[in-house]
mmCIF file of all heavy atoms in Angstrom:
data_model
loop_
_atom_site.group_PDB
_atom_site.id
_atom_site.type_symbol
_atom_site.label_atom_id
_atom_site.label_comp_id
_atom_site.label_asym_id
_atom_site.label_seq_id
_atom_site.Cartn_x
_atom_site.Cartn_y
_atom_site.Cartn_z
ATOM 1 N N GLY A 1 43.227 -35.250 12.346
ATOM 2 C CA GLY A 1 43.347 -34.261 11.276
ATOM 3 C C GLY A 1 44.735 -34.278 10.558
ATOM 4 O O GLY A 1 44.847 -34.235 9.357
ATOM 5 N N TYR A 2 45.785 -34.423 11.391
ATOM 6 C CA TYR A 2 47.165 -34.537 10.776
ATOM 7 C C TYR A 2 47.283 -35.797 9.930
ATOM 8 O O TYR A 2 47.854 -35.782 8.855
ATOM 9 C CB TYR A 2 48.175 -34.526 11.941
ATOM 10 C CG TYR A 2 49.609 -34.710 11.542
ATOM 11 C CD1 TYR A 2 50.307 -33.613 10.959
ATOM 12 C CD2 TYR A 2 50.239 -35.972 11.662
ATOM 13 C CE1 TYR A 2 51.620 -33.800 10.572
ATOM 14 C CE2 TYR A 2 51.557 -36.120 11.260
ATOM 15 C CZ TYR A 2 52.242 -35.051 10.683
ATOM 16 O OH TYR A 2 53.517 -35.196 10.318
ATOM 17 N N SER A 3 46.833 -36.924 10.387
ATOM 18 C CA SER A 3 46.871 -38.173 9.710
ATOM 19 C C SER A 3 46.150 -38.087 8.406
ATOM 20 O O SER A 3 46.585 -38.590 7.403
ATOM 21 C CB SER A 3 46.333 -39.287 10.525
ATOM 22 O OG SER A 3 47.055 -39.470 11.777
ATOM 23 N N SER A 4 45.003 -37.473 8.459
ATOM 24 C CA SER A 4 44.173 -37.355 7.223
ATOM 25 C C SER A 4 44.685 -36.405 6.196
ATOM 26 O O SER A 4 44.776 -36.688 4.993
ATOM 27 C CB SER A 4 42.723 -37.047 7.611
ATOM 28 O OG SER A 4 41.921 -36.889 6.464
ATOM 29 N N LEU A 5 45.019 -35.142 6.642
ATOM 30 C CA LEU A 5 45.366 -34.131 5.687
ATOM 31 C C LEU A 5 46.838 -34.121 5.328
ATOM 32 O O LEU A 5 47.155 -33.713 4.225
ATOM 33 C CB LEU A 5 45.018 -32.736 6.400
ATOM 34 C CG LEU A 5 43.548 -32.546 6.735
ATOM 35 C CD1 LEU A 5 43.354 -31.259 7.485
ATOM 36 C CD2 LEU A 5 42.654 -32.597 5.473
ATOM 37 N N VAL A 6 47.658 -34.579 6.176
ATOM 38 C CA VAL A 6 49.133 -34.485 5.920
ATOM 39 C C VAL A 6 49.694 -35.866 5.535
ATOM 40 O O VAL A 6 50.302 -36.005 4.445
ATOM 41 C CB VAL A 6 49.895 -34.004 7.144
ATOM 42 C CG1 VAL A 6 51.390 -33.932 6.865
ATOM 43 C CG2 VAL A 6 49.447 -32.550 7.511
ATOM 44 N N LEU A 7 49.407 -36.900 6.367
ATOM 45 C CA LEU A 7 50.044 -38.161 6.045
ATOM 46 C C LEU A 7 49.263 -38.961 4.983
ATOM 47 O O LEU A 7 49.884 -39.721 4.166
ATOM 48 C CB LEU A 7 50.062 -39.020 7.372
ATOM 49 C CG LEU A 7 50.982 -38.429 8.462
ATOM 50 C CD1 LEU A 7 50.967 -39.324 9.647
ATOM 51 C CD2 LEU A 7 52.413 -38.262 7.992
ATOM 52 N N GLY A 8 47.932 -38.873 5.019
ATOM 53 C CA GLY A 8 47.149 -39.633 4.023
ATOM 54 C C GLY A 8 47.335 -41.132 4.166
ATOM 55 O O GLY A 8 47.243 -41.629 5.351
ATOM 56 N N ASP A 9 47.585 -41.834 3.095
ATOM 57 C CA ASP A 9 47.712 -43.279 3.140
ATOM 58 C C ASP A 9 48.911 -43.666 3.943
ATOM 59 O O ASP A 9 49.036 -44.821 4.462
ATOM 60 C CB ASP A 9 47.867 -43.912 1.713
ATOM 61 C CG ASP A 9 46.568 -43.839 0.947
ATOM 62 O OD1 ASP A 9 45.583 -43.372 1.550
ATOM 63 O OD2 ASP A 9 46.559 -44.204 -0.193
ATOM 64 N N LEU A 10 49.868 -42.840 4.179
ATOM 65 C CA LEU A 10 51.122 -43.104 4.875
ATOM 66 C C LEU A 10 50.783 -43.304 6.409
ATOM 67 O O LEU A 10 51.673 -43.869 7.104
ATOM 68 C CB LEU A 10 52.109 -41.987 4.741
ATOM 69 C CG LEU A 10 52.708 -41.819 3.359
ATOM 70 C CD1 LEU A 10 53.699 -40.592 3.284
ATOM 71 C CD2 LEU A 10 53.434 -43.050 2.916
ATOM 72 N N ALA A 11 49.591 -42.901 6.824
ATOM 73 C CA ALA A 11 49.242 -43.045 8.231
ATOM 74 C C ALA A 11 48.867 -44.537 8.554
ATOM 75 O O ALA A 11 48.766 -44.886 9.734
ATOM 76 C CB ALA A 11 48.131 -42.144 8.553
ATOM 77 N N TYR A 12 48.687 -45.347 7.522
ATOM 78 C CA TYR A 12 48.227 -46.707 7.728
ATOM 79 C C TYR A 12 49.250 -47.687 7.383
ATOM 80 O O TYR A 12 50.176 -47.492 6.632
ATOM 81 C CB TYR A 12 46.918 -46.966 6.815
ATOM 82 C CG TYR A 12 45.829 -46.058 7.250
ATOM 83 C CD1 TYR A 12 45.642 -44.766 6.697
ATOM 84 C CD2 TYR A 12 44.804 -46.570 8.137
ATOM 85 C CE1 TYR A 12 44.614 -43.885 7.018
ATOM 86 C CE2 TYR A 12 43.767 -45.712 8.523
ATOM 87 C CZ TYR A 12 43.660 -44.411 7.935
ATOM 88 O OH TYR A 12 42.585 -43.595 8.326
ATOM 89 N N ALA A 13 49.088 -48.872 8.011
ATOM 90 C CA ALA A 13 50.099 -49.998 7.823
ATOM 91 C C ALA A 13 49.993 -50.391 6.298
ATOM 92 O O ALA A 13 51.026 -50.879 5.818
ATOM 93 C CB ALA A 13 49.828 -51.132 8.750
ATOM 94 N N HIS A 14 48.866 -50.305 5.714
ATOM 95 C CA HIS A 14 48.732 -50.778 4.318
ATOM 96 C C HIS A 14 47.704 -49.832 3.693
ATOM 97 O O HIS A 14 46.693 -49.541 4.287
ATOM 98 C CB HIS A 14 48.238 -52.190 4.255
ATOM 99 C CG HIS A 14 48.414 -52.840 2.919
ATOM 100 N ND1 HIS A 14 47.383 -52.731 1.958
ATOM 101 C CD2 HIS A 14 49.386 -53.516 2.359
ATOM 102 C CE1 HIS A 14 47.783 -53.381 0.864
ATOM 103 N NE2 HIS A 14 48.997 -53.814 1.026
ATOM 104 N N PRO A 15 47.946 -49.377 2.472
ATOM 105 C CA PRO A 15 47.084 -48.344 1.834
ATOM 106 C C PRO A 15 45.621 -48.912 1.682
ATOM 107 O O PRO A 15 44.727 -48.066 1.657
ATOM 108 C CB PRO A 15 47.730 -48.107 0.416
ATOM 109 C CG PRO A 15 49.188 -48.404 0.705
ATOM 110 C CD PRO A 15 49.192 -49.521 1.722
ATOM 111 N N SER A 16 45.489 -50.197 1.564
ATOM 112 C CA SER A 16 44.128 -50.713 1.462
ATOM 113 C C SER A 16 43.258 -50.382 2.561
ATOM 114 O O SER A 16 42.059 -50.310 2.483
ATOM 115 C CB SER A 16 44.129 -52.212 1.299
ATOM 116 O OG SER A 16 44.707 -52.839 2.394
ATOM 117 N N GLN A 17 43.803 -50.196 3.832
ATOM 118 C CA GLN A 17 43.113 -49.833 5.046
ATOM 119 C C GLN A 17 42.565 -48.416 4.870
ATOM 120 O O GLN A 17 41.376 -48.112 5.257
ATOM 121 C CB GLN A 17 43.972 -49.997 6.234
ATOM 122 C CG GLN A 17 44.357 -51.364 6.598
ATOM 123 C CD GLN A 17 45.348 -51.462 7.724
ATOM 124 O OE1 GLN A 17 46.464 -50.967 7.633
ATOM 125 N NE2 GLN A 17 44.839 -51.970 8.819
ATOM 126 N N ALA A 18 43.277 -47.505 4.317
ATOM 127 C CA ALA A 18 42.951 -46.133 4.156
ATOM 128 C C ALA A 18 41.804 -45.958 3.158
ATOM 129 O O ALA A 18 40.970 -45.106 3.268
ATOM 130 C CB ALA A 18 44.073 -45.204 3.802
ATOM 131 N N ARG A 19 41.840 -46.838 2.117
ATOM 132 C CA ARG A 19 40.930 -46.745 1.025
ATOM 133 C C ARG A 19 39.665 -47.599 1.229
ATOM 134 O O ARG A 19 38.879 -47.796 0.283
ATOM 135 C CB ARG A 19 41.594 -47.032 -0.236
ATOM 136 C CG ARG A 19 42.633 -45.989 -0.699
ATOM 137 C CD ARG A 19 43.037 -46.196 -2.139
ATOM 138 N NE ARG A 19 43.800 -47.372 -2.330
ATOM 139 C CZ ARG A 19 45.160 -47.446 -2.347
ATOM 140 N NH1 ARG A 19 45.811 -46.291 -2.069
ATOM 141 N NH2 ARG A 19 45.833 -48.547 -2.514
ATOM 142 N N PHE A 20 39.495 -48.063 2.447
ATOM 143 C CA PHE A 20 38.331 -48.970 2.726
ATOM 144 C C PHE A 20 37.067 -48.090 2.573
ATOM 145 O O PHE A 20 36.930 -46.988 3.118
ATOM 146 C CB PHE A 20 38.391 -49.462 4.129
ATOM 147 C CG PHE A 20 37.584 -50.733 4.380
ATOM 148 C CD1 PHE A 20 38.157 -51.997 4.267
ATOM 149 C CD2 PHE A 20 36.281 -50.639 4.645
ATOM 150 C CE1 PHE A 20 37.384 -53.133 4.482
ATOM 151 C CE2 PHE A 20 35.449 -51.754 4.822
ATOM 152 C CZ PHE A 20 36.092 -52.995 4.771
ATOM 153 N N SER A 21 36.006 -48.631 1.906
ATOM 154 C CA SER A 21 34.799 -47.867 1.717
ATOM 155 C C SER A 21 34.170 -47.419 3.041
ATOM 156 O O SER A 21 33.998 -48.192 4.027
ATOM 157 C CB SER A 21 33.773 -48.693 0.930
ATOM 158 O OG SER A 21 32.524 -48.088 0.886
ATOM 159 N N SER A 22 33.814 -46.153 3.143
ATOM 160 C CA SER A 22 33.131 -45.578 4.361
ATOM 161 C C SER A 22 31.938 -44.813 4.067
ATOM 162 O O SER A 22 31.620 -43.845 4.670
ATOM 163 C CB SER A 22 34.198 -44.787 5.086
ATOM 164 O OG SER A 22 35.210 -45.469 5.556
ATOM 165 N N GLN A 23 31.145 -45.296 3.081
ATOM 166 C CA GLN A 23 29.894 -44.669 2.757
ATOM 167 C C GLN A 23 28.873 -44.985 3.833
ATOM 168 O O GLN A 23 28.756 -46.100 4.337
ATOM 169 C CB GLN A 23 29.329 -45.151 1.392
ATOM 170 C CG GLN A 23 30.292 -44.738 0.232
ATOM 171 C CD GLN A 23 29.693 -45.224 -1.106
ATOM 172 O OE1 GLN A 23 28.753 -45.907 -1.151
ATOM 173 N NE2 GLN A 23 30.359 -44.698 -2.181
ATOM 174 N N PHE A 24 28.061 -43.910 4.145
ATOM 175 C CA PHE A 24 27.121 -44.036 5.250
ATOM 176 C C PHE A 24 25.751 -44.515 4.789
ATOM 177 O O PHE A 24 25.229 -43.915 3.874
ATOM 178 C CB PHE A 24 26.935 -42.630 5.906
ATOM 179 C CG PHE A 24 25.971 -42.716 7.078
ATOM 180 C CD1 PHE A 24 26.353 -43.137 8.347
ATOM 181 C CD2 PHE A 24 24.630 -42.273 6.916
ATOM 182 C CE1 PHE A 24 25.517 -43.164 9.395
ATOM 183 C CE2 PHE A 24 23.736 -42.343 7.924
ATOM 184 C CZ PHE A 24 24.204 -42.743 9.218
ATOM 185 N N HIS A 25 25.382 -45.668 5.241
ATOM 186 C CA HIS A 25 24.067 -46.256 4.987
ATOM 187 C C HIS A 25 23.294 -46.308 6.291
ATOM 188 O O HIS A 25 23.607 -47.241 7.107
ATOM 189 C CB HIS A 25 24.179 -47.636 4.275
ATOM 190 C CG HIS A 25 24.911 -47.514 2.986
ATOM 191 N ND1 HIS A 25 24.340 -46.951 1.807
ATOM 192 C CD2 HIS A 25 26.127 -47.954 2.617
ATOM 193 C CE1 HIS A 25 25.200 -47.066 0.840
ATOM 194 N NE2 HIS A 25 26.311 -47.554 1.286
ATOM 195 N N ALA A 26 22.282 -45.474 6.480
ATOM 196 C CA ALA A 26 21.633 -45.388 7.754
ATOM 197 C C ALA A 26 21.081 -46.679 8.272
ATOM 198 O O ALA A 26 21.421 -47.121 9.486
ATOM 199 C CB ALA A 26 20.487 -44.348 7.687
ATOM 200 N N LEU A 27 20.370 -47.487 7.513
ATOM 201 C CA LEU A 27 19.841 -48.738 7.950
ATOM 202 C C LEU A 27 20.895 -49.725 8.351
ATOM 203 O O LEU A 27 20.817 -50.537 9.246
ATOM 204 C CB LEU A 27 18.830 -49.317 6.835
ATOM 205 C CG LEU A 27 17.567 -48.556 6.642
ATOM 206 C CD1 LEU A 27 16.786 -49.228 5.606
ATOM 207 C CD2 LEU A 27 16.751 -48.512 7.978
ATOM 208 N N SER A 28 21.932 -49.804 7.512
ATOM 209 C CA SER A 28 23.064 -50.703 7.750
ATOM 210 C C SER A 28 23.776 -50.334 9.042
ATOM 211 O O SER A 28 24.065 -51.268 9.885
ATOM 212 C CB SER A 28 24.048 -50.736 6.643
ATOM 213 O OG SER A 28 25.137 -51.519 6.910
ATOM 214 N N VAL A 29 24.012 -49.075 9.372
ATOM 215 C CA VAL A 29 24.627 -48.584 10.540
ATOM 216 C C VAL A 29 23.776 -48.907 11.742
ATOM 217 O O VAL A 29 24.276 -49.394 12.742
ATOM 218 C CB VAL A 29 25.023 -47.119 10.397
ATOM 219 C CG1 VAL A 29 25.482 -46.599 11.823
ATOM 220 C CG2 VAL A 29 26.123 -46.942 9.364
ATOM 221 N N LEU A 30 22.496 -48.608 11.603
ATOM 222 C CA LEU A 30 21.475 -48.916 12.708
ATOM 223 C C LEU A 30 21.445 -50.415 13.028
ATOM 224 O O LEU A 30 21.476 -50.746 14.229
ATOM 225 C CB LEU A 30 20.146 -48.473 12.348
ATOM 226 C CG LEU A 30 19.069 -48.593 13.373
ATOM 227 C CD1 LEU A 30 19.385 -47.839 14.669
ATOM 228 C CD2 LEU A 30 17.690 -48.171 12.850
ATOM 229 N N HIS A 31 21.429 -51.246 12.055
ATOM 230 C CA HIS A 31 21.475 -52.619 12.276
ATOM 231 C C HIS A 31 22.695 -53.094 13.031
ATOM 232 O O HIS A 31 22.649 -53.860 13.983
ATOM 233 C CB HIS A 31 21.408 -53.393 10.987
ATOM 234 C CG HIS A 31 21.460 -54.895 11.047
ATOM 235 N ND1 HIS A 31 22.730 -55.608 11.040
ATOM 236 C CD2 HIS A 31 20.536 -55.852 11.303
ATOM 237 C CE1 HIS A 31 22.511 -56.904 11.184
ATOM 238 N NE2 HIS A 31 21.173 -57.037 11.323
ATOM 239 N N LYS A 32 23.923 -52.519 12.583
ATOM 240 C CA LYS A 32 25.147 -52.858 13.234
ATOM 241 C C LYS A 32 25.148 -52.362 14.761
ATOM 242 O O LYS A 32 25.595 -53.059 15.653
ATOM 243 C CB LYS A 32 26.304 -52.227 12.542
ATOM 244 C CG LYS A 32 26.592 -52.766 11.182
ATOM 245 C CD LYS A 32 27.094 -54.178 11.255
ATOM 246 C CE LYS A 32 27.504 -54.769 9.840
ATOM 247 N NZ LYS A 32 27.960 -56.149 9.853
#
């Protein structure tokens, strides 16, 4: 929670990691 709400992108080594797409697709997740 602290990393997400306070640090934001600063919590990650590189901002691209924080902005990685995290949309939930049920079939894709089930397959994985």
Side-chain angles (χ1 to χ4, degrees):
Y2 176 78
S3 298
S4 176
L5 300 176
V6 178
L7 296 180
D9 287 359
L10 295 177
Y12 295 85
H14 194 272
S16 63
Q17 294 175 292
R19 291 194 289 266
F20 202 99
S21 174
S22 294
Q23 294 182 352
F24 180 81
H25 299 286
L27 290 179
S28 175
V29 169
L30 180 61
H31 176 269
K32 293 290 183 183

